[in-house]
Amino acid sequence: MSHLDRRSFLVTGLAAGAVATIPATTALAEPDPAAETAQSLAGRGLRTDPFTLGVASGDPDPTGFVIWTRLAPQPLAEDGLGGMPSRPFPVLWQVYADARCRRVVRAGVAVAAPEWGHSVHVEVDGLSPDREYWYRFRVGPYVSPAGRTRTAPHPQSYVGALAMAFVSCAQYEHGYFTSYRRLAEDRPDLVLHLGDYQYEYTKNTYTIPGGNVRDHEGPETETLAGYRQRHAQYKADPDLQAAHAAAPWLVVWDDHEVDNNWADEVPEKPEPNFLARREAAFRAYYENMPLRRASIPRGIDMQLYRRIRWGRLATFHMLDTRQYRDDQGCGDGYDDCPAAVDPARSITGAAQEEWLLNGFRESRAQWDIIGQQVFFAQRDNNAGPAKVTSQDAWDGYVASRQRITQGWVDAKVRNPVVLTGDVHAHWASDLKLDYDDPTGPSVGSELVATSISTGGNGADSDPAAHPYLAINPHLKFYNNQRGYVMTKIERDLMTADFRVLPHVQTPGSEAYTRATFVIEDRVPGVRQTYLRPLDPSLRTAQPITVEETVELETTRP
């Protein structure tokens, strides 16, 4: 918590000539949030620092971005309200042009309302394109940490390199969030979170060998109070807060934000109240993410797929492969499943698929980047004639994958790149129209990020020795350590560093690059340019097998 007196906050703020923007819908007949004293706040039920969950920003455009915080003096309160009284509180927000928070360029008052978990989502606009800004919030004497964010470039501009990181799968119980801390230290311009931001299980349910290093609070998340409490437990982690404060995020969910392997209105296991659970999960997800008002949930529906443009350099197509999918055809695991090739089945739903294909046709970007959840390329784990693939991934929706791949080919998309999470390991692969013809041309590239912590420490191995790579020649890399992917996107080259940490079951591990792959302009497919030598102290005791790979990426508590 930072304590600033009223005068110091205003001297560096509104009194310094800022443009105050206070929408009529947020104006309250309440005390000035900068003027109110700790004593007067205590009289209305707020007695300690409410900024325990940090700050975040997201969804930048050329004139602004979303800034977020949530008031929660007691983050783990069982009722999910974070220790806040059941009344609204005005919150002063300020955006600065400098890291020392001296030059305010936008400011205003927003309302933290109990109906939305006392979260604050401010859509800041009127700023200059392609530049850094900083921001923070205040209620009375309590001042939030400052966050760093940035606007996107002008839509018609070619800009310098974009430093973009992407991550997924942060199981709080399996390890510390050191990967987030190391990501923040790499100072990305943009972070994509591709799902499994939190996990729904109660403690001692989803365990790793040797035992979990910390526990979830509360029962399995099924109610709004439960999801709010779980989000708060994750957000209270200082390493996650550091990653949010380092850069704007683009977020999409996968399954564990709701229920393992859910599909549209179908839960993993029969559950009579699943739609109420889904509604609660969606509401809590919005409350805790830096999303624009277009994503405010309406009952059991929430608009999450969207498009973010980074000048002429890149367009990010962020997908939702859970809310609209047909149920998995033969269960959630690996199978040789006839339903997988049924042309009537979809992983995106018809409306989202058409939106994506239209985006390909209209794109003039150098790079079209598809941020999504589950493995896109074919991964057959059977060396014989049977095709045994993951039915929870795009392999379970072959026609969907074929239509979308053909769509970017027909649209002559210059550089299609699919970014993926979910499977708790680093992968890199070439994308094909026909995976059964290994000599056929590559038409795109896929980069897959390992987990932040899910699965515990993991182990290193010779990536070329993984059996999947022999069965699927388009697969080019595998690593089962924890970490993230750090990319540098330039006009003629996209460079991806697969960053790993030797340990996450103890805090403080350093990160290093295990391998580097590049994608060249107008050359579909990935090419390795660096491979760090295998560390004998971190290697697996035995060569990794098909069965072990399935077990590592398939959650079956």
Side-chain angles (χ1 to χ4, degrees):
M1 175 182 67
S2 300
H3 287 281
L4 298 181
D5 62 33
R6 169 174 161 78
R7 184 177 183 280
S8 65
F9 195 84
L10 293 181
V11 163
T12 63
L14 294 176
V19 177
T21 56
I22 307 177
T25 55
T26 65
L28 284 179
E30 295 279 2
D32 177 350
E36 197 162 8
T37 65
Q39 184 176 7
S40 65
L41 284 170
R44 294 192 295 127
L46 179 56
R47 296 177 175 83
T48 58
D49 177 19
F51 294 112
T52 62
L53 307 184
V55 299
S57 68
D59 282 24
D61 66 23
T63 66
F65 34 72
V66 180
I67 58 173
W68 170 96
T69 194
R70 180 181 163 207
L71 308 184
Q74 299 170 29
L76 298 183
E78 291 184 4
D79 62 4
L81 297 179
M84 288 293 293
S86 186
R87 62 174 300 156
F89 282 79
V91 179
L92 176 66
W93 58 267
Q94 293 184 322
V95 175
Y96 308 88
D98 65 305
R100 297 182 67 188
C101 299
R102 296 296 181 91
R103 290 199 304 120
V104 174
V105 292
R106 285 290 182 274
V109 175
V111 174
E115 296 81 3
W116 293 98
H118 289 98
S119 62
V120 175
H121 299 74
V122 179
E123 296 186 20
V124 183
D125 58 13
L127 301 174
S128 299
D130 193 30
R131 64 152 296 167
E132 290 183 321
Y133 292 93
W134 289 261
Y135 62 96
R136 61 186 177 185
F137 301 86
R138 176 173 180 161
V139 176
Y142 305 110
V143 180
S144 77
R148 167 183 173 258
T149 189
R150 64 177 301 122
T151 50
H154 186 278
Q156 298 305 314
S157 66
Y158 281 108
V159 293
L162 167 64
M164 181 272 293
F166 66 99
V167 299
S168 73
C169 301
Q171 219 287 18
Y172 181 90
E173 300 173 300
H174 287 186
Y176 295 94
F177 286 169
T178 316
S179 300
Y180 281 136
R181 175 72 61 174
R182 300 296 171 250
L183 181 155
E185 292 167 354
D186 283 347
R187 290 184 64 83
D189 299 314
L190 189 66
V191 177
L192 275 61
H193 200 294
L194 302 179
D196 295 346
Y197 182 94
Q198 63 152 65
Y199 282 69
E200 74 274 31
Y201 305 114
T202 190
K203 68 179 183 180
N204 298 325
T205 300
Y206 182 16
T207 58
I208 55 175
N212 294 343
V213 301
R214 47 188 185 173
D215 293 325
H216 281 151
E217 291 286 333
E220 178 161 334
T221 53
E222 297 178 333
T223 66
L224 181 57
Y227 284 110
R228 283 172 168 171
Q229 181 193 43
R230 186 63 49 81
H231 274 286
Q233 183 174 18
Y234 277 57
K235 277 287 200 313
D237 185 281
D239 294 332
L240 175 55
Q241 288 190 20
H244 272 300
W249 285 35
L250 310 181
V251 300
V252 286
W253 55 41
D254 190 21
D255 53 340
H256 291 291
E257 290 87 349
V258 181
D259 174 44
N260 184 47
N261 291 343
W262 67 282
D264 193 6
E265 298 185 7
V266 182
E268 179 188 25
K269 300 170 184 175
E271 186 177 328
N273 298 319
F274 179 70
L275 294 187
R277 179 181 186 176
R278 171 174 148 165
E279 180 176 351
F282 283 16
R283 188 177 186 92
Y285 186 82
Y286 173 78
E287 291 172 351
N288 286 278
M289 294 295 159
L291 289 163
R292 292 183 179 270
R293 64 177 65 93
S295 291
I296 292 174
R298 292 168 175 80
I300 65 166
D301 299 316
M302 182 170 167
Q303 180 68 44
L304 197 58
Y305 67 84
R306 62 204 188 281
R307 195 169 283 120
I308 291 86
R309 293 179 172 86
W310 201 265
R312 292 290 298 274
L313 182 67
T315 294
F316 293 91
H317 310 268
M318 305 300 292
L319 301 190
D320 176 354
T321 63
R322 286 291 166 188
Q323 189 175 178
Y324 313 104
R325 68 160 65 187
D326 291 298
D327 193 17
Q328 294 86 339
C330 297
D332 301 328
Y334 277 74
D335 206 333
D336 184 4
C337 180
V341 297
D342 182 350
R345 299 181 71 253
S346 173
I347 194 172
T348 62
Q352 184 178 194
E353 180 180 301
E354 185 60 26
W355 168 87
L356 181 58
L357 296 178
N358 284 338
F360 292 153
R361 288 189 284 266
E362 296 169 1
S363 178
R364 299 296 180 267
Q366 199 83 356
W367 301 87
D368 278 88
I369 298 171
I370 303 165
Q372 58 91 50
Q373 296 77 21
V374 293
F375 216 99
F376 193 85
Q378 179 175 291
R379 285 188 309 154
D380 184 1
N381 73 13
N382 183 280
K387 189 173 289 185
V388 181
T389 58
S390 171
Q391 298 308 294
D392 192 53
W394 289 80
D395 273 328
Y397 305 83
V398 170
S400 265
R401 178 173 63 201
Q402 188 71 17
R403 288 191 298 268
I404 287 169
T405 307
Q406 189 67 57
W408 78 55
V409 170
D410 292 345
K412 296 181 171 55
V413 168
R414 184 177 182 122
N415 292 301
V417 180
V418 177
L419 305 182
T420 300
D422 183 57
V423 292
H424 313 159
H426 283 316
W427 297 80
S429 63
D430 298 343
L431 299 178
K432 306 280 187 177
L433 276 171
D434 183 359
Y435 291 97
D436 296 330
D437 178 10
T439 66
S442 296
V443 296
S445 313
E446 182 173 21
L447 304 170
V448 183
T450 188
S451 64
I452 289 289
S453 58
T454 308
N457 290 336
D460 202 359
S461 61
D462 177 2
H466 195 288
Y468 279 32
L469 274 64
I471 300 169
N472 306 271
H474 55 277
L475 301 180
K476 304 299 183 183
F477 178 69
Y478 171 85
N479 172 269
N480 178 39
Q481 293 173 282
R482 309 286 75 82
Y484 54 97
V485 180
M486 189 76 200
T487 71
K488 181 180 181 182
I489 305 173
E490 303 169 276
R491 285 188 67 170
D492 298 327
L493 192 71
M494 180 173 178
T495 304
D497 291 330
F498 287 89
R499 305 279 283 163
V500 301
L501 284 74
H503 307 285
V504 295
Q505 290 170 248
T506 53
S509 186
E510 294 301 316
Y512 60 84
T513 298
R514 182 64 177 89
T516 299
F517 281 78
V518 299
I519 305 166
E520 299 174 63
D521 181 35
R522 295 189 184 277
V523 183
V526 298
R527 179 169 62 86
Q528 183 177 289
T529 60
Y530 170 75
L531 183 65
R532 182 185 173 106
L534 180 62
D535 185 340
S537 68
L538 301 174
R539 70 181 306 158
T540 57
Q542 301 293 330
I544 194 163
T545 64
V546 166
E547 292 75 20
E548 185 181 3
T549 303
V550 173
E551 181 180 352
L552 288 169
E553 69 184 42
T554 305
T555 305
R556 294 190 182 278

